[in-house]
Amino acid sequence: MTATSTAANTEAAENASAIPKILYAVSEVAPFVVTGGMGQVVGSLPAALRRVEPTLEIAVVAPLYQAVFAHYGAALEHVGTVEVNLAWRTKGCGIYRTQRDGITYFFLDNSDYFNRENCYGYYDDGERFAFFSQAVLAALEAMQFVPEVIHCHDWQTALIPIYLKTLYREKYPQMRSIFTIHNIEYQGKYTLDILGDVFGLGADAYPLVEYDGCLNLMKGAIVACDRLTTVSPSYAEEIKAGGGYGLDHIINIYAGKLTGILNGIDTNLYNPTCDAKLRVNFDADCLAKKALCKRELQTLFNLPVSPRTPVLCMVSRLVPHKGIDLLTTIIDDLLKENLQLCILGTGDHLYELFLSDLAIRYPEQVVVNIAYNAEISTKIYAGSDMMLMPSLSEPCGLAQMIASRYATVPIVRATGGLKDTIKDCRYGEGNGFVFSRYNSNDFLQTIRAALGLYNNFPEDWFLLMKEVIGQDFSWDRSARDYLELYSTLT
C-alpha cells in the first residue's frame, strides 16, 4: 500500500468517524404512511445518506398509525414496551421495529392516540404529538439506539428539541438536535394554559415556547435546536423576509444556525425507463415513446385522443398557497386555447366543487380527479406535456422534479424551491417556464408562451424536453450537504 493510499484511507476513516449516529423523528415516512412532501423526503433521505456514507448509523422513528399496522403489521417485530410520563398521565408505549433497504424503522404504539383513521386533524393533536415526542426520548434505550443527533421535522416533533433542553437535559446532556422546517405556515399553536397540563412542561420552559400571546411549538424548536434547516436555499431567505408567517423575527435572531438544503426525489421510484405503472417506458434517448403515454392518459380519462393537442396537468393539494386561485381566475380564457387539462388532488371543498364543475362544463378538455392516487399521478406526469405549479409559496416542491423525470415541462412561479430548481428557457438555457409576480395575467401569458413554443417550434420543444429529463434531482448532492451539517455537531 502506498503512502498516498494510506493517507486517503485514513482521511476517509476520520470523515466517517466525524459523522454522528442519527435518529430521524417524524410524524410520517414513506412508504409506510405519506400525506405530503415531508413523508416522501424522510422516506428517501436516509437511504441516500447510506449510499454516500455506508458506515453511517441511522434509524427512523414514527407513530404506529392504524394504516401502518394494517399494511405492514406482519413485518413489524415487537421489541419492548415503556411507560411514558406526560404531565399527569402515564401511558404505555409499544415499540416495533422493521428493516427496509438497510434502514431500521421504529414505530411507537399507543392505541388511544394513533389507532385512528387519519394521521392528523383531531382536536387532541397537540397531546398526541406531545406523547410521541416524549415517547421517542423515553424509548431510546429500549430501542437500543441512543443517537448523538436527533433530526426532527415540522411542528409535530418540535417538542423533542424542547424536551431535550428541559426534561431530558440531565439524562442526555451531549445529545444534539436538528429541526427542519418543511412548511412554516403550520407552527403548532396552542393556548398558554395547557403548558403543564398537556405538554408536561414547567414554568422554566415558558420563555422557550411563548410567542405572540400563545404557545408556539415551532418557535420553541427554533430556539432550542442546535441546527435549523429548511428545504431549499430560497425558502431559507424567504422565511427571514416576510414569509415566516409571524416567525420572521425569531428566524432572524437565530439565522446563524439556519441552512437551506434543497430536497431531492427518489430517482429509482420515479424512473420512466422502468416504472411498472407505465404501459410504455421511455428515456432521454427514446422520447418519442412518451407520446404513447400521452395516448394512454387521454384514453384513461376519456379525452379526445389527439397527439398534437398539448396536455397540461396539475398534481397538487387544492389549497390557496398552491396558487389555485390564479388558475380559477384565468381558466375560461385558458380553455379558449387548444389544450387539455388534467387535475389530480384534494383540498379545500370550494376548490374541489369549482374544479369538478369545470370538468362538467368542459368535458372535451378538462378532467378532474378529487383524490390522490400514486399510480394515476405517475400516468399524469408521464402523459402530460406541461405541468402547472403557480404557487404563492413553495418551500421546496417535489412535483416539478417528478414531472421533469418524465420529460414534462414545468410552468412555475419563482418562489422557494421552484426558484432554485426551474430556470426560464426564454432567457438562455433553462428547463421550464417561470413567472415572478403572483399575478393571474403573468401566469396566463407564461402558459401561452409555452403553448407557442410547443405549437410552432416542435424541434425546439423536443430539445427542451431533452433538457428537462436530463436534470439531476437525485438526493446525492443534498445528502452530502446533510452529512457535512451533521459532522459539525460531533
Side-chain angles (χ1 to χ4, degrees), residues 61-64 78-85 90-96 107-111 113-114 131-140 142-143:
V61 60
L64 183 59
H78 182 258
V79 295
T81 302
V82 295
E83 288 193 341
V84 177
N85 296 316
T90 299
K91 296 274 192 178
C93 174
I95 305 167
Y96 293 81
F107 291 94
L108 304 185
D109 176 41
N110 179 280
S111 58
Y113 291 131
F114 303 126
F131 169 83
F132 175 68
S133 297
Q134 276 270 35
V136 168
L137 296 170
L140 293 178
M143 293 191 305

Side-chain angles (χ1 to χ4, degrees), residues 66-188:
Q66 181 184 99
V68 175
F69 190 79
H71 291 94
Y72 297 94
L76 298 178
E77 173 195 4
H78 182 258
V79 295
T81 302
V82 295
E83 288 193 341
V84 177
N85 296 316
L86 181 63
W88 50 269
R89 310 162 196 79
T90 299
K91 296 274 192 178
C93 174
I95 305 167
Y96 293 81
R97 177 176 60 201
T98 190
Q99 291 271 337
R100 191 180 182 93
D101 299 327
I103 305 297
T104 300
Y105 293 87
F106 294 100
F107 291 94
L108 304 185
D109 176 41
N110 179 280
S111 58
D112 291 342
Y113 291 131
F114 303 126
N115 187 23
R116 306 185 189 187
E117 184 177 354
N118 300 310
C119 298
Y120 317 118
Y122 298 98
Y123 76 96
D124 60 345
D125 276 358
E127 183 179 330
R128 294 171 70 226
F129 291 106
F131 169 83
F132 175 68
S133 297
Q134 276 270 35
V136 168
L137 296 170
L140 293 178
E141 292 176 350
M143 293 191 305
Q144 297 181 17
F145 194 95
V146 179
E148 294 163 278
V149 173
I150 295 186
H151 190 158
C152 308
H153 298 263
D154 268 356
W155 78 265
Q156 293 90 347
T157 56
L159 276 162
I160 292 177
I162 297 167
Y163 287 149
L164 274 176
K165 285 291 192 289
T166 54
L167 304 181
Y168 284 83
R169 63 187 172 193
E170 293 185 4
K171 184 168 186 177
Y172 296 120
Q174 302 302 318
M175 193 175 293
R176 299 292 179 256
S177 65
I178 294 178
F179 183 68
T180 293
I181 299 171
H182 292 263
N183 191 337
I184 203 168
E185 184 176 355
Y186 306 104
Q187 299 174 3

Side-chain angles (χ1 to χ4, degrees), residues 1 9 47 96 161 173-174 197 201 220 225 261 284 362 365-366 400 404 439 479:
M1 180 179 292
N9 290 338
Y96 293 81
Q174 302 302 318
D197 188 53
L201 290 167
C225 71
I261 300 177
Y362 296 94
Q365 284 186 281
V366 179
Q400 81 279 14
S404 297
N439 177 289

Side-chain angles (χ1 to χ4, degrees), residues 267-294:
T267 53
N268 292 319
L269 177 64
Y270 302 109
N271 188 347
T273 65
C274 59
D275 196 324
K277 296 184 287 295
L278 303 183
R279 182 172 297 177
V280 178
N281 295 114
F282 62 92
D283 60 21
D285 295 324
C286 57
L287 277 177
K289 290 184 178 180
K290 180 176 166 69
L292 299 176
C293 294
K294 179 175 179 175

